[in-house]
Amino acid sequence: MTRVLVVDDEPQILRGLKTNLVARGYDVDTAPDGEAALDLAARRRPDVVIVDLGLPGIDGVDVIRGLRTWTAVPIIVLSAREQESEKVNALDAGADDYVTKPFGMGELLARVRASERRAVSSDDGEAVVRTSAFTVDLAARKVVAADRTAVRLTPTEWHLVEVLVRHPGRLVSQRQLLQEVWGPRYEEETNYLRVYMAQIRRKLEPEPSHPRYFITEPGMGYRFEPGD
Amino acid sequence: MTRVLVVDDEPQILRGLKTNLVARGYDVDTAPDGEAALDLAARRRPDVVIVDLGLPGIDGVDVIRGLRTWTAVPIIVLSAREQESEKVNALDAGADDYVTKPFGMGELLARVRASERRAVSSDDGEAVVRTSAFTVDLAARKVVAADRTAVRLTPTEWHLVEVLVRHPGRLVSQRQLLQEVWGPRYEEETNYLRVYMAQIRRKLEPEPSHPRYFITEPGMGYRFEPGD
DNA sequence: AGCCCTCTTGACGTGATCTTGACGTCATCA
DNA sequence: TGATGACGTCAAGATCACGTCAAGAGGGCT
């Protein structure tokens, strides 16, 4: 079943869209703001994302950019703003389509279908995260260093890298990392994180003892900093 | 260079679009009607098609349908018609985007860029995969070694090779391989993979004990590495 | 029936990976 | 200045995963 993530801060619109999409047989996740959207996208891997531009907190365009660091999922923008510059910004940030409110539900659904159709043919879009030191290909499960040599990661190392990289620039708590990689019963074993982060840094950081990409936030967790 | 085909019956619009696109570095073909459009598309293989709906002769929607019988080229519809049914028809006929006249040139260009971006990731698979040690012909179900002698693979071996080779460079998980080749009930039988990978390597790898093409990713799966 | 090819299954050695505990370092705070 | 807490580092044993071999079962062909 096709999974759609809808991001909008107005509960009625959220509800209305969800109802319509569910009625058409879609599996729908909803998020009221950018943070929740990025988090849900990472965890649920939707096939299409519908995002409103006027969000509290992280801006809609930044949500698009955040998604585009690691996924090619089709993004349809909803917006009340008609100015051309808004449209151009959103599209150039990586959106696939831009629909101006008020919009017809039939049109939106047709645009969702168009996005789906494309996604099937191109299938695994580029899920690639690049830094100046290494490139992480999430679809191929491959890491390549700047000098084009492949980097070997163990399953646990890879899993950890994957979780961090899917939340670029954002803090991921120790709890969340441990739960995601080792399971709910290991939430206290922060030891593991230290050991594995060290290994990951040794393999990926240009200067493992002065990390630039995998940053420690003492007492809280770790953060992947794409840094361009 | 990106080639764009613009289809519109109004000469001024055609000229205007062409001028703008050429100024942005696009290679532009123009067609005044549906027949010419289909003909040009077939001969010149554009990377993006911009088509007006109100055409003399063949209708715009039929142009879309005609194109879609043989190509997945991104199609952007221009139209003065605002009715939702028109949009839905065009999108469901296979259009990727629908822009209502009057439109801003900046927006249209941004939408063209969005289409281009998407198209890059979707190139269709080769039926023949070559390495310096062997050649796999997926269509003919044949493998030929570098010395032109045919390699005999058993059905199971072939199936496994096929799955791996269809995802060059990608990691394919043990689960996925087992499910694909032996069926969903065999997802745990990693034994089979070990036995068969060994056989495949004995038949295809120049140095079976030091695999170069069929790589093991311990704990995760296997990867076919075309390697030039 | 007998033969041959293929698939399944189990056992074993080897090497990689995970786990675990100990210790060093650094920053903070009393 | 010394105590504390959090983190990084290291090493060693236990465990797991893989490659390899070989024997037996099944099935189709002559």
Side-chain angles (χ1 to χ4, degrees):
Chain A
M1 183 170 13
T2 307
R3 191 196 309 284
V4 183
L5 171 61
V6 184
V7 191
D8 201 312
D9 59 327
E10 296 176 55
Q12 315 138 321
I13 295 192
L14 220 47
R15 247 202 328 274
L17 285 172
K18 177 162 185 169
T19 308
N20 271 286
L21 287 165
V22 167
R24 260 73 175 188
Y26 293 98
D27 184 4
V28 180
D29 292 329
T30 59
D33 57 49
E35 282 86 359
L38 290 172
D39 193 48
L40 269 175
R43 285 195 287 118
R44 304 265 294 165
R45 317 285 180 82
D47 302 300
V48 178
V49 176
I50 301 176
V51 56
D52 184 72
L53 270 201
L55 292 176
I58 303 180
D59 182 53
V61 173
D62 288 325
V63 173
I64 297 170
R65 271 194 268 270
L67 288 171
R68 279 290 175 262
T69 57
W70 64 270
T71 176
V73 61
I75 301 177
I76 301 176
V77 170
L78 295 182
S79 172
R81 307 177 202 164
E82 291 232 40
Q83 294 120 45
E84 186 169 39
S85 59
E86 288 285 342
K87 299 188 186 180
V88 173
N89 281 342
L91 290 167
D92 282 342
D96 294 281
D97 205 343
Y98 191 107
V99 183
T100 308
K101 294 182 188 176
F103 55 86
M105 190 55 64
E107 176 184 351
L108 181 65
L109 289 167
R111 288 188 187 267
V112 170
R113 286 194 293 275
S115 296
E116 275 181 85
R117 197 172 52 224
R118 273 196 304 267
V120 186
S121 53
S122 66
D123 213 328
D124 39 73
E126 297 227 348
V128 177
V129 179
R130 283 174 219 283
T131 73
S132 38
F134 56 85
T135 301
V136 181
D137 186 329
L138 292 166
R141 294 216 151 188
K142 207 163 46 172
V143 179
V144 180
D147 57 6
R148 299 220 166 256
T149 59
V151 179
R152 284 190 47 77
L153 295 184
T154 71
T156 309
E157 288 164 7
W158 171 261
H159 204 162
L160 203 47
V161 167
E162 186 177 19
V163 174
L164 287 167
V165 161
R166 284 198 195 275
H167 296 91
R170 303 175 62 218
L171 172 71
V172 186
S173 72
Q174 299 176 340
R175 261 214 154 57
Q176 199 178 333
L177 288 169
L178 287 163
Q179 189 177 91
E180 181 88 28
V181 177
W182 281 272
R185 286 177 38 232
Y186 292 75
E187 285 187 352
E188 317 278 299
E189 305 283 342
T190 58
N191 241 348
Y192 292 7
L193 289 180
R194 289 206 289 282
V195 172
Y196 275 90
M197 287 308 302
Q199 281 173 355
I200 289 168
R201 284 168 174 155
R202 225 171 297 140
K203 292 185 179 183
L204 297 183
E205 292 277 0
E207 225 178 325
S209 50
H210 299 281
R212 181 178 154 191
Y213 301 106
F214 295 95
I215 313 294
T216 303
E217 299 282 1
M220 314 217 295
Y222 293 85
R223 190 158 47 85
F224 168 66
E225 198 56 64
D228 295 333
Chain B
M1 187 174 3
T2 306
R3 191 195 312 282
V4 183
L5 170 61
V6 184
V7 191
D8 201 313
D9 59 327
E10 298 174 54
Q12 315 138 318
I13 295 192
L14 220 48
R15 246 201 333 270
L17 285 172
K18 176 159 186 171
T19 308
N20 270 286
L21 287 164
V22 168
R24 261 73 177 190
Y26 293 97
D27 184 4
V28 180
D29 294 329
T30 58
D33 56 50
E35 283 84 356
L38 290 172
D39 188 50
L40 268 175
R43 284 194 288 117
R44 303 267 291 164
R45 302 301 174 89
D47 302 298
V48 178
V49 176
I50 300 174
V51 56
D52 185 71
L53 270 200
L55 293 175
I58 302 182
D59 182 52
V61 174
D62 289 325
V63 173
I64 296 170
R65 273 196 266 271
L67 288 170
R68 279 289 173 264
T69 58
W70 62 271
T71 174
V73 62
I75 302 177
I76 300 175
V77 170
L78 294 181
S79 171
R81 307 178 203 165
E82 291 232 40
Q83 294 120 46
E84 188 170 37
S85 59
E86 288 286 342
K87 299 188 186 180
V88 174
N89 280 342
L91 290 167
D92 282 341
D96 294 280
D97 205 344
Y98 191 107
V99 183
T100 308
K101 296 183 187 176
F103 55 87
M105 189 54 65
E107 175 183 351
L108 181 65
L109 289 167
R111 289 187 186 268
V112 170
R113 285 195 294 276
S115 297
E116 277 181 83
R117 199 171 53 226
R118 271 195 306 264
V120 189
S121 55
S122 69
D123 49 313
D124 31 352
E126 271 285 331
V128 178
V129 179
R130 283 174 221 284
T131 74
S132 39
F134 55 86
T135 301
V136 181
D137 187 330
L138 291 168
R141 302 213 143 204
K142 251 187 342 198
V143 179
V144 180
D147 57 5
R148 303 227 165 245
T149 59
V151 179
R152 280 192 47 75
L153 295 184
T154 72
T156 309
E157 288 164 8
W158 168 260
H159 203 163
L160 203 47
V161 167
E162 185 177 19
V163 174
L164 287 168
V165 163
R166 281 200 194 279
H167 303 287
R170 292 262 304 269
L171 173 75
V172 187
S173 71
Q174 300 174 343
R175 265 212 150 60
Q176 199 178 332
L177 288 168
L178 287 164
Q179 190 176 84
E180 182 88 29
V181 178
W182 281 272
R185 286 178 35 233
Y186 292 76
E187 284 187 353
E188 318 276 300
E189 305 284 340
T190 58
N191 245 358
Y192 292 7
L193 288 180
R194 290 207 288 282
V195 172
Y196 275 89
M197 286 309 301
Q199 282 173 356
I200 289 168
R201 284 169 175 155
R202 227 171 295 140
K203 293 185 179 182
L204 297 183
E205 291 276 0
E207 223 179 326
S209 50
H210 298 281
R212 181 179 154 191
Y213 302 105
F214 295 94
I215 311 294
T216 302
E217 297 283 0
M220 304 200 284
Y222 293 85
R223 178 201 309 283
F224 168 65
E225 201 58 68
D228 306 334

